[in-house]
Each structure stands twice: as C-alpha cells, then as structure tokens.
Amino acid sequence: MHFVLLYGLSNLGIKYVITFSHQSKMSERNSSFLQFMPVGVPKVPFLIPKAKEASWVDVYNRLYRQRFLFLGQEIDRVISNQLVGLIVFLNIENNKKDIFLYINCPGGWILPGFGLVGTMQTVQPDVNTICLGVAVSIGSFILLGGTTTKRLAFEHAKIMMYQPFSSFFKLAPIDGRLELKLLRDAHQKIVRAYVRKTGQTPWAVSRDLKKPFFMTPEEAQKYGIVDAIADFTPHPIRMILTKK
C-alpha cells in the first residue's frame, strides 16, 4: 500500500510531501520508505546513473533527459542560452533521436530567437516544434523553424505573425540609425525564412507581417507554418495528426 501525506511546518513556513510504502510480512527495519519533497516545486524521483538511490529532481530536468524541452515565456538571452545548451548537449548525446520543443511563447527578443532557431536547424537530430498555447511574433518564427513535416499545433492554439519593432525614442540619433539598419536586416531575414519554409511569396509574407496576423491552427497549417494539428477527439489519450 502507498500513502501520501501533506505535512506543514507552519511556524517555519515549510511544507513537505511525505511518501512512504508499507508491505505486510516485512521486517521492521525495511517496512517503511520515507522521502521528502518540497511542495510548490514540481519534482519527481530520478535515479541518476551510477547512483544507488533515486533523488528528487525538477520535473523539467527529468523531461529534458527524455529530450522534451519547453519554451513557456518570452524569449530572452537567458532562456535562449539554456535551450541552445540543451539542444547541443542532446545532439552530442544522441544525434539520431528526435528532440521535442513545446512552445507557449508570447513573443520576445529577436536576436535570442534567431540564435535558438539557428541551433535547431544546424544540429543533426530533427527538432519537433509543438505549439501548446500561443506562438506570437518571434514565437511563431521559432515554431516555423522546426523540422519540416514535424511542426505541430494543438487545436486550441493561436499563432500570430508580426514584424520586429523597436523604441527609437530611447536612443541617441546615431544609435537609432544603427538599430534601424539592424531592424531592417532582421525583417529581411524573417521574410526570407517564412518564404523558404512556407512557400509563400515575399510580397505575401511582407504584407502579413505589417500588422498582427492571428491564425487558427487550421489557418497556420494552410499558410505553411505548421504541418499537422493535434486532434484529441474522439481519442483523448492518443494524439491523432490531421495532415495536409
């Protein structure tokens, strides 16, 4: 039998989950197994190679070991560098097994997004991109950057294309001119990437980037940003892919 108890040390502001197991006809010495896990931090037991006992690790670290990566925030230098490092490590560990990047990204910085997409497209394993909630602006660009035929959106996801922008009023005139050049170059790179990956014309992509262009998964599939849609009906557990 297995039991889980919630134990709170209110005076210390600390809470733990205590898990233990009990089996009849066991000696008193090994009749119980006690482990502590901080509440509020998702952790799972994981047996580290060559270790004698399992230890509690962050659930995302455990999933990384299974090649599942997550982008659930605005893209910035920190999260981009973390994902780049993980992708490179997984490529070294096994360059034939697919990597899965789950995306729920409301946008973010352009250059960190470029760095992430560049890494995805240069490693040997195929990188599957899956949009869980939203993929906005640079988020849709990252979704687009997955391996062709392996880009997926859940049926309630939202994808939005939008051009890069900057706040020039915060910069000195010479810095503003420099950033304008960088912004124009970034815009051209984004247009070329969308044209190459979707098959749309440069004129159509430039037109659609000029204003927030929201798409349903079906519209994104037709546009060429994703290749398949996850349909959970009538099988809620097994994912059925609706292909083009």
Side-chain angles (χ1 to χ4, degrees):
M1 297 174 63
H2 295 273
F3 302 88
V4 178
L5 300 179
L6 178 63
Y7 179 67
L9 301 177
S10 57
N11 57 330
L12 298 179
I14 302 173
K15 294 182 179 180
Y16 293 94
V17 166
I18 302 178
T19 64
F20 63 92
S21 62
H22 174 76
Q23 294 180 354
S24 60
K25 299 182 180 180
M26 292 182 64
S27 64
E28 183 179 354
R29 180 174 60 85
N30 60 2
S31 62
S32 65
F33 175 70
L34 187 64
Q35 285 187 313
F36 293 86
M37 181 187 75
V39 170
V41 179
K43 291 182 180 262
V44 294
F46 176 61
L47 182 62
I48 298 172
K50 298 184 179 181
K52 294 182 179 180
E53 295 182 357
S55 58
W56 291 101
V57 298
D58 187 293
V59 66
Y60 293 107
N61 288 329
R62 179 67 183 91
L63 290 169
Y64 296 159
R65 298 300 306 168
Q66 299 299 321
R67 310 177 78 82
F68 295 106
L69 310 181
F70 297 86
L71 174 59
Q73 63 179 72
E74 287 188 357
I75 187 76
D76 58 20
R77 289 190 296 270
V78 175
I79 188 64
S80 175
N81 288 337
Q82 290 174 353
L83 290 171
V84 165
L86 285 166
I87 291 172
V88 171
F89 170 76
L90 294 173
N91 175 63
I92 295 171
E93 185 180 54
N94 187 334
N95 60 15
K96 296 181 180 179
K97 193 174 181 180
D98 283 14
I99 298 171
F100 298 84
L101 176 60
Y102 290 85
I103 300 170
N104 187 16
C105 178
W109 296 87
I110 300 171
L111 296 182
F114 280 174
L116 176 57
V117 172
T119 304
M120 291 162 50
Q121 295 179 347
T122 53
V123 294
Q124 290 182 276
D126 289 344
V127 179
N128 298 250
T129 49
I130 303 102
C131 181
L132 298 173
V134 295
V136 174
S137 192
I138 194 67
S140 68
F141 185 75
I142 296 170
L143 175 64
L144 174 82
T147 302
T148 303
T149 73
K150 296 187 177 182
R151 301 167 299 177
L152 176 72
F154 282 14
E155 60 180 343
H156 300 299
K158 290 293 182 183
I159 295 95
M160 189 199 83
M161 294 172 56
Y162 192 42
Q163 63 186 349
F165 62 91
S166 178
S167 300
F168 296 110
F169 64 88
K170 297 180 181 179
L171 302 173
I174 188 170
D175 294 331
R177 290 195 296 271
L178 176 61
E179 185 153 345
L180 179 61
K181 181 179 182 300
L182 294 173
L183 193 65
R184 185 173 61 248
D185 292 343
H187 183 273
Q188 292 173 353
K189 289 179 180 178
I190 290 172
V191 170
R192 288 197 295 269
Y194 272 102
V195 169
R196 184 176 67 254
K197 298 283 279 187
T198 66
Q200 300 287 335
T201 65
W203 179 86
V205 173
S206 298
R207 176 201 61 198
D208 296 332
L209 285 171
K210 286 183 179 180
K211 60 182 180 179
F213 183 35
F214 284 92
M215 286 176 277
T216 64
E218 292 79 10
E219 292 169 339
Q221 183 184 19
K222 184 177 179 180
Y223 199 91
I225 295 176
V226 298
D227 306 296
I229 302 167
D231 182 6
F232 294 95
T233 55
H235 305 284
I237 297 177
R238 187 181 63 187
M239 188 164 57
I240 302 172
L241 302 184
T242 307
K243 295 188 179 291
K244 285 184 178 179

